[in-house]
Amino acid sequence: MNLEHWRTWVDEIEAAPLDALLGKASPGVRATLEGSLEQREITPDQGLGLYTSKDDDLRATVKCADLARAADVGNEVTYVVNRNINFTNICFVGCKFCAFSRGPREPDSYFLSLDQVAQKATQAWELGAREVCIQGGLPRDLPPFYYRDILRAVKRAVPGMHCHAFSPMEIVYGVERTGMALADYLEMLKDNGLDTLPGTAAEILDDDVRNVPDLPLPSI
């Protein structure tokens, strides 16, 4: 589908009355969409039905999704000015696909101090950033509370900076290094400045696992 066809398709849905599109949808999809418009939570099976919808069902789904978006946020588009701070590229994991990690004795390996991380956050703030994404490799013998200390350093230097930090692998590593329970560890990070967690490093890299269930992509 070329861009012009896509635009025409979307414009037609936007111009069509909701009742007309719902009236052409299958009974199951129509019931799901009507419930969602009334703020009723849908079940996983209903969600799967919307995800795999086609033709008239897909048009009705797109229409309802657009109405829900408009009700929640209107037509205002927002963005965040962000700086990535990768505090170290030293990592012992050895993922075969990774071009970032280095061994501790490689000439281009590095490990930023807390002051250096704070300095980068300050520079980002001065340039207009309001969020830093902080991640790194997994170096052996990392000080047990280093992730906490990074957050403290950033918040001390720039109290208003949003800290979007630490991959799931880093969280697990922090739990292992400190011996804390996961819930307690996350609570500690939150108390010391963690605002949100990125979803990176949670990829499914095994083809057999990733393809189950093998869901078809929505088609137009």
Side-chain angles (χ1 to χ4, degrees):
M1 175 180 291
N2 60 41
L3 182 59
E4 192 59 37
H5 187 102
W6 169 258
R7 286 173 173 167
T8 300
W9 188 83
V10 171
D11 288 344
E12 289 174 352
I13 293 174
E14 189 174 44
L18 173 62
D19 290 343
L21 293 176
L22 286 176
K24 294 180 180 179
S26 63
V29 167
R30 181 168 63 250
T32 298
L33 293 174
E34 288 174 343
S36 69
L37 290 173
E38 295 173 359
Q39 303 294 310
R40 294 204 301 268
E41 186 172 351
I42 65 175
T43 67
D45 286 341
Q46 289 175 321
L48 179 60
L50 298 183
Y51 179 78
T52 57
S53 62
K54 298 179 181 180
D55 303 323
D56 288 334
D57 283 347
L58 180 57
R59 292 182 179 87
T61 299
V62 170
K63 180 71 172 184
C64 290
D66 188 51
L67 290 172
R69 174 206 55 76
D72 283 345
V73 299
N75 289 319
E76 182 178 353
V77 177
T78 63
Y79 64 92
V80 175
V81 179
N82 170 292
R83 179 175 189 176
N84 277 24
I85 301 177
N86 301 116
F87 63 92
T88 183
N89 63 352
I90 299 172
C91 187
F92 64 79
V93 177
C95 298
K96 294 181 179 179
F97 58 87
C98 180
F100 171 73
S101 67
R102 296 291 185 272
R105 294 183 178 85
E106 292 190 57
D108 56 347
S109 66
Y110 69 88
F111 195 112
L112 301 181
S113 68
L114 296 176
D115 287 342
Q116 288 173 311
V117 173
Q119 182 182 27
K120 286 181 177 292
T122 300
Q123 291 171 344
W125 183 272
E126 292 171 349
L127 291 171
R130 293 299 177 263
E131 176 184 282
V132 286
C133 182
I134 307 171
Q135 296 183 95
L138 303 184
R140 293 189 186 279
D141 301 320
L142 183 74
F145 292 94
Y146 200 76
Y147 297 139
R148 179 205 64 187
D149 294 343
I150 287 176
L151 295 168
R152 286 180 173 179
V154 171
K155 290 292 187 176
R156 189 181 303 116
V158 194
M161 185 68 83
H162 182 103
C163 288
H164 184 64
F166 311 132
S167 70
M169 287 184 68
E170 289 172 291
I171 296 299
V172 170
Y173 190 42
V175 167
E176 292 176 354
R177 295 294 297 151
T178 61
M180 299 175 66
L182 174 61
D184 294 337
Y185 186 74
L186 288 171
E187 190 68 30
M188 177 192 68
L189 294 182
K190 182 180 177 182
D191 289 343
N192 284 277
L194 180 64
D195 295 298
T196 51
L197 287 168
T200 184
E203 301 90 348
I204 300 174
L205 299 173
D206 184 292
D207 290 339
D208 292 336
V209 174
R210 187 170 62 249
N211 291 332
V212 179
D214 189 9
L215 300 176
L217 294 174
S219 60
I220 297 172

